[in-house]
Amino acid sequence: MSRKSVLNLFALLIIASMLLAACGTPAEVTEAPAPVEEQPTEAPQPTEVPQPSVFIFGRGGDSVQLDPIVVTDGESYRVTGQILDSLYTFEPGTTIPTPNLAEECTANETGTEWTCTLKQGVKFHDGTDFNADAVVFNFERWRFTTNPYHFPEQVFEYYEAMWGGFDDASIITSVEKLDDYTVKFTLSAPLAPFLANLAMDSFAISSPAAIEKYGATYGTPTVGAVGTGPFVFKEWVEGDHITVTANENWWGGRAKVDEIIWRVIADDSARYLALKAGDIHALEQASVEDLADAAQNPDLYVSKKFQLTTAYLAFNYKIKEFQDPKIREAFAHAFNKQAIVENFLGENGQVAKTLVPPFMWGYNDAIEDWAYDPDLSKQLLADAGFPDGISEVTIAEDITDADGNVLFKTGDKIPLRFYYLPITRFYFPSPKEISEAIAADFAKAGINVELTTEGDWASYLAARREGRLAGIYELGWGGDNGDPDNFTGYFFSGGTEPIRREGWYTNPPLAELLQKALVTVGQENRDPMYKEADQMLHDDVARIWMFHTQLPLIFSTKVDGYVTQVVDADNYFDVTVSP
């Protein structure tokens, strides 16, 4: 073998040897490394975001406005009472005024000057300061008809009624800033319910900056209200709901609930079904049957609100027939008030014979109510010239709208209308059904009415205020401050001339008595005056007082901490809703 061949063979042996070393021999098994056991890993957990606690209250009707000075209805104050604070408020469950935005208010010896020291460090929801300037701004806006923010398209009814009128007629003659946190009220005469008036929801203090910014749209759904209260306005969808959220910087501490929603559910039965279904957490005013059902339901509880209320029927005195006291008395005898109470209010109602409720001082228990007597009604109608009953009435004087347009002309003959409330109220459950029952009683006494209403709640109140409910109409009142002036005085102290908003009623001797009672010092001196006033109203059959109510509320058992008030808006500050 040649040298070259040997070298080639040797090279092949080396290559083969290297291949065998890399791959191993067929008989050699290469053991795979043991698999590494993977440790289980937890999936990343989402960060828990706490859900806001929401309290949903079902009610029969919407608010009219959220600027409290231009409304008189409880549905508006139910909301504004959470957004705005007054200088005074009422101790829980009482009619006792207690300081709120004011630290204290003290009177001089004659009761004609009140000096109020204000809380410091309080902010409106828009970040501006609450101070003496804000108090002066609000009161001057309310009092002076020439003030640029006393908008002519709005009605400041409560200021006129509780403070004696506007401009120079106001019992408040000045509100002065003494320093940044002190104001002085000067009065033309002592005003017995001064502190109680300050505590009313209608005189809550709004942000001057907000009023200057929004003008007449302040208080409407697009703007809401801006106050210093425990809750901040969020949204208002008309006819559906209003939402507020907790004020993180409220001077009294943060509320326990994050959000409140007031939902409008007009039908009483539908509202109760929504509560049972869990769509709402609470409601007020329910039928006797639904209240009985709720009392047996382990998921619900019933609470009764003590309140000062009177439901009534009023006459429009521009109707000729209603100017005759015999005809008014015929109406008073023509329906069974006791049956109405038993069938529609049950244990939550009491027949009324006076405007002042029996739970208040100034109540006249000696008054003898008009008895249910349809035969006497027929006789009274016959004596008044209607032997065959009454179903048509005559307009005695033009009835106009707010712009002066004539709606009903003098001498017009119109059907005898009976206007019923378009919504359930805290003082008046099931208004349409109650009105139907009354109308049936009327018919038995020869009084044949045409049942009707006047649009929505705001429209109804506007028609009443403008004196254009041309017939007999249904309404009621809930006390605002625990003083009888807020009942008898509110309605009739201006009656030296026909009062448009009270159906054009006039009674000068009554008005003079009530004006005297307002400025008389001492409950013991005022009490007999209000008793005499209610006797005068009874003797004149000025209105027909129907019933007083205690308000039933039904809650889900998830709800705690709801505080009812005798007067003023209920307190939502301590409400909690469990999951």
Side-chain angles (χ1 to χ4, degrees), residues 278-299:
D279 296 331
I280 60 177
H281 299 120
L283 60 80
E284 71 175 26
Q285 206 59 281
S287 69
V288 172
E289 295 77 14
D290 287 343
L291 285 168
D293 182 78
Q296 303 300 317
N297 190 321
D299 297 324

Side-chain angles (χ1 to χ4, degrees), residues 210-281:
I211 293 170
E212 290 170 346
K213 177 179 180 180
Y214 296 112
T217 62
Y218 178 75
T220 63
T222 54
V223 175
V226 182
T228 61
F231 292 92
V232 179
F233 174 80
K234 180 179 179 181
E235 69 173 357
W236 181 359
V237 178
E238 283 187 278
D240 189 79
H241 72 275
I242 294 177
T243 305
V244 296
T245 58
N247 178 3
E248 300 292 342
N249 301 305
W250 188 48
W251 56 267
R254 190 193 187 281
K256 293 179 181 177
V257 71
D258 297 318
E259 190 170 274
I260 303 167
I261 300 173
W262 290 275
R263 274 190 57 197
V264 177
I265 306 175
D267 182 78
D268 292 351
S269 296
R271 197 160 60 251
Y272 180 61
L273 289 174
L275 177 63
K276 291 177 72 174
D279 296 331
I280 60 177
H281 299 120

Side-chain angles (χ1 to χ4, degrees), residues 298-524:
D299 297 324
L300 304 175
Y301 66 95
V302 180
S303 176
K304 188 181 293 188
K305 175 179 177 176
F306 181 80
Q307 56 183 12
L308 305 171
T309 68
T310 305
Y312 60 83
L313 295 180
F315 301 97
N316 189 317
Y317 284 84
K318 284 199 172 184
I319 289 175
K320 179 182 178 182
E321 288 76 10
F322 293 163
Q323 296 174 359
D324 186 339
K326 286 183 180 178
I327 291 181
R328 300 199 299 271
E329 186 178 340
F331 276 81
H333 287 293
F335 71 101
N336 191 338
K337 291 194 280 188
Q338 185 61 46
I340 295 294
V341 168
E342 290 174 359
N343 291 326
F344 293 97
L345 289 93
E347 63 180 14
N348 295 306
Q350 178 180 345
V351 169
K353 60 181 181 179
T354 61
L355 172 55
V356 174
F359 323 107
M360 285 181 63
W361 63 272
Y363 170 68
N364 189 345
D365 193 36
I367 290 175
E368 186 177 345
D369 196 16
W370 306 110
Y372 172 51
D373 190 340
D375 291 332
L376 178 55
S377 292
K378 291 177 182 178
Q379 183 60 54
L380 288 164
L381 288 173
D383 293 346
F386 295 89
D388 299 321
I390 186 170
S391 58
E392 188 178 69
V393 291
T394 308
I395 302 299
E397 186 181 346
D398 286 358
I399 296 176
T400 63
D401 63 18
D403 298 320
N405 301 309
V406 176
L407 304 175
F408 303 94
K409 290 189 298 183
T410 302
D412 280 354
K413 297 280 188 181
I414 63 171
L416 174 51
R417 292 185 170 96
F418 179 2
Y419 294 86
Y420 60 87
L421 292 169
I423 66 170
T424 293
R425 298 297 293 118
F426 63 94
Y427 52 72
F428 212 122
S430 309
K432 186 172 188 292
E433 292 77 8
I434 286 178
S435 301
E436 289 169 345
I438 293 172
D441 278 352
F442 279 167
K444 296 171 190 173
I447 299 170
N448 298 294
V449 297
E450 179 184 282
L451 278 174
T452 187
T453 192
E454 186 74 15
D456 61 12
W457 182 223
S459 301
Y460 193 92
L461 290 177
R464 164 258 172 192
R465 185 174 62 246
E466 295 166 12
R468 54 184 170 84
L469 293 174
I472 189 169
Y473 59 92
E474 195 175 78
L475 209 54
W477 188 251
D480 297 286
N481 66 10
D483 193 285
D485 173 70
N486 182 239
F487 278 81
T488 326
Y490 177 88
F491 287 105
F492 304 114
S493 66
T496 52
E497 299 291 336
I499 312 169
R500 184 181 187 116
R501 60 178 165 82
E502 305 308 339
W504 304 97
Y505 182 72
T506 181
N507 189 328
L510 173 65
E512 290 167 12
L513 173 64
L514 292 169
Q515 288 165 2
K516 181 181 177 182
L518 179 62
V519 299
T520 297
V521 177
Q523 181 176 317
E524 70 282 1

Side-chain angles (χ1 to χ4, degrees), residues 61-76:
D62 206 352
S63 298
V64 174
Q65 241 262 18
L66 295 186
D67 180 357
I69 195 61
V70 299
V71 290
T72 62
D73 70 296
E75 289 303 341
S76 296

